Amino acid sequence: MSDGTGTPRPESAAAGPAGTDAAATAAATSAVHPPDPALATITAPPLPTTSTRVDRPIALGFLITLGGLIAIALGVAFSNLSTIVIYVVFALFAALGLDPVVQILERHNVKRAWGIVITYTVFALLLIGVLWLIVPTVVTQIGEFISGVPEMISDFQASDFYNWIQANVGDQLGAALDELRTYVTTPSNIAAIGGGILRIGFSIATTISGIIIILVLSLYFLAGLPAIKVAFNRLAPARSRAFVGGMTDEITGSIGGYLMGMVILALCNSVVAFILHLSLGLPFPMLMAVAAFCITLIPLIGSVLFWIAASVLALFTSPVSALIFAVVYLVYMQLEAYLLTPRVMNKTISVPGALVVIGALVGGTLLGLLGALVAIPVTASILLIVKQVFIPRQDAKV
């Protein structure tokens, strides 16, 4: 068939106008760019498959071994640097905890540099004063407590309360107290509890050096906190920097307020415990005040733990004094829960009680007392990110 000019028309063009256009386009393309015969013999290499990799077992084994060695090396490096990482994290949280004080000074027309100097000077003076007044007394009372445990057990066994318990429970309590007296009065057991004098000294030196490192790092972090926030916000896309900046300020402000609030509440617990022990004639008031401060730093359950422990220890001195202490401290716990805590924690992120307990348990298991203190603001920050980032994205999906 021809197209009227003598040129034969391909058979595929007889299907209609679409076939005619396609054939004409193909003919024009081949006329302008004729195919290269050399390229016709070139084919794309096959993609690597599992069978081709298995055909080279030496290379595969080498890659797997190399990856395992790199993973082990990274794990060993992280374990060796874990102490430094902990120092950095605690220093950052300490800086966030002191930042609200610096901001208060800034609102009173004090420059940030001078605010940091004033804050750390007052903090250092308070720390030195507390250590100067408390540490010698606490060390002395710890020794008196250890040496006085057998006498406390004997006095407790001579009380009417012990006789009433033994009459209703049996001889199990007396046998347990006798074993406790024997264990405490054995010098080898005391050495085993303490881990030896050298280990105790090494632990004290390590703790003091760690505190100094944390304080120095926190000073640098506090001085550069605005620049750190700006650098962190610049990691986000330009369209999201305002949102990220606002969320960062909210998280850091909440963490700082939470840490400062927990320290204030723990200090109130410590003062109440000291006054109660001193007024009721209970032994070791300064030691129990320090224990109250440390234990009540644990959120939500710290006050309950100290209330139980202090009440039980007071039983060895006087059941009546122990009962009075338990009742008065329980009343204070209610006042703290309904009056002090809402006022002190009014600027922090609210976290459900179940998450508070879980976070405290996880942090305490991993990093001890300080881990339990830090775990709650971390949990609150994660909860805030979920509420403001993840949930809106999920709501937008229809």
Side-chain angles (χ1 to χ4, degrees):
M1 301 175 63
S2 68
D3 56 0
T5 60
T7 303
R9 186 171 60 182
E11 294 296 328
S12 60
T20 304
D21 296 338
T25 303
T29 303
S30 60
V32 177
H33 301 287
D36 189 355
L39 296 177
T41 59
I42 299 177
T43 58
L47 295 175
T49 60
T50 306
S51 60
T52 58
R53 289 194 296 267
V54 173
D55 291 340
R56 293 183 289 179
I58 296 178
L60 179 61
F62 177 78
L63 291 176
I64 294 175
T65 304
L66 182 61
L69 292 176
I70 292 175
I72 294 173
L74 291 176
V76 172
F78 183 79
S79 63
N80 292 332
L81 297 176
S82 59
T83 304
I84 298 176
V85 173
I86 292 173
Y87 288 163
V88 171
V89 172
F90 286 155
L92 181 59
F93 274 90
L96 293 176
L98 294 175
D99 188 58
V101 180
V102 178
Q103 291 181 359
I104 292 174
L105 294 176
E106 285 183 322
R107 287 195 291 267
H108 288 80
N109 298 323
V110 178
K111 293 184 178 180
R112 184 172 181 85
W114 284 108
I116 293 173
V117 172
I118 294 172
T119 302
Y120 265 84
T121 301
V122 173
F123 179 73
L125 292 176
L126 288 176
L127 184 62
I128 293 173
V130 169
L131 293 177
W132 183 267
L133 294 175
I134 291 180
V135 169
T137 306
V138 170
V139 171
T140 303
Q141 291 186 359
I142 289 175
E144 293 176 355
F145 176 77
I146 295 175
S147 60
V149 168
E151 184 179 357
M152 292 172 60
I153 295 175
S154 300
D155 294 339
F156 179 68
Q157 288 178 332
S159 64
D160 297 334
F161 182 69
Y162 171 78
N163 295 328
W164 179 82
I165 294 177
Q166 193 174 21
N168 291 274
V169 176
D171 297 334
Q172 290 82 3
L173 180 60
L177 291 176
D178 292 336
E179 291 181 2
L180 178 61
R181 183 193 295 114
T182 304
Y183 186 84
V184 172
T185 54
T186 304
S188 60
N189 293 332
I190 297 177
I193 294 173
I197 298 176
L198 294 178
R199 183 174 297 178
I200 293 175
F202 180 75
S203 300
I204 294 174
T206 303
T207 303
I208 293 175
S209 62
I211 292 175
I212 294 174
I213 293 172
I214 290 174
L215 291 176
V216 173
L217 284 176
S218 63
L219 176 60
Y220 283 105
F221 283 147
L222 185 59
L225 193 58
I228 293 174
K229 290 182 181 179
V230 172
F232 179 77
N233 294 336
R234 294 189 66 182
L235 296 176
R239 64 179 181 274
S240 304
R241 286 176 185 173
F243 173 75
V244 174
M247 190 166 61
T248 302
D249 292 336
E250 186 174 356
I251 290 175
T252 54
S254 177
I255 291 175
Y258 173 82
L259 295 176
M260 187 61 63
M262 287 302 299
V263 171
I264 293 174
L265 293 177
L267 183 61
C268 293
N269 279 274
S270 177
V271 172
V272 171
F274 178 76
I275 293 174
L276 286 177
H277 278 78
L278 201 61
S279 59
L280 294 175
L282 296 175
F284 318 115
M286 189 66 71
L287 176 61
M288 297 306 295
V290 174
F293 180 82
C294 295
I295 295 175
T296 54
L297 284 174
I298 303 174
L300 196 65
I301 60 175
S303 300
V304 179
L305 292 177
F306 175 75
W307 174 63
I308 296 173
S311 300
V312 171
L313 289 177
L315 283 174
F316 290 92
T317 302
S318 171
V320 177
S321 299
L323 180 61
I324 296 174
F325 173 84
V327 172
V328 175
Y329 196 81
L330 182 61
V331 172
Y332 165 75
M333 288 169 56
Q334 303 305 314
L335 294 175
E336 178 186 277
Y338 291 102
L339 294 179
L340 292 179
T341 302
R343 294 178 180 273
V344 174
M345 298 292 188
N346 58 351
K347 293 184 179 180
T348 59
I349 303 173
S350 59
V351 182
L355 292 181
V356 171
V357 175
I358 294 173
L361 291 176
V362 173
T365 303
L366 294 178
L367 301 175
L369 177 62
L370 293 178
L373 176 63
V374 171
I376 306 307
V378 171
T379 305
S381 302
I382 296 174
L383 187 63
L384 179 65
I385 294 173
V386 170
K387 287 182 178 179
Q388 295 193 6
V389 177
F390 181 75
I391 293 180
R393 289 184 178 180
Q394 295 299 109
D395 293 340
K397 296 178 182 179
V398 180

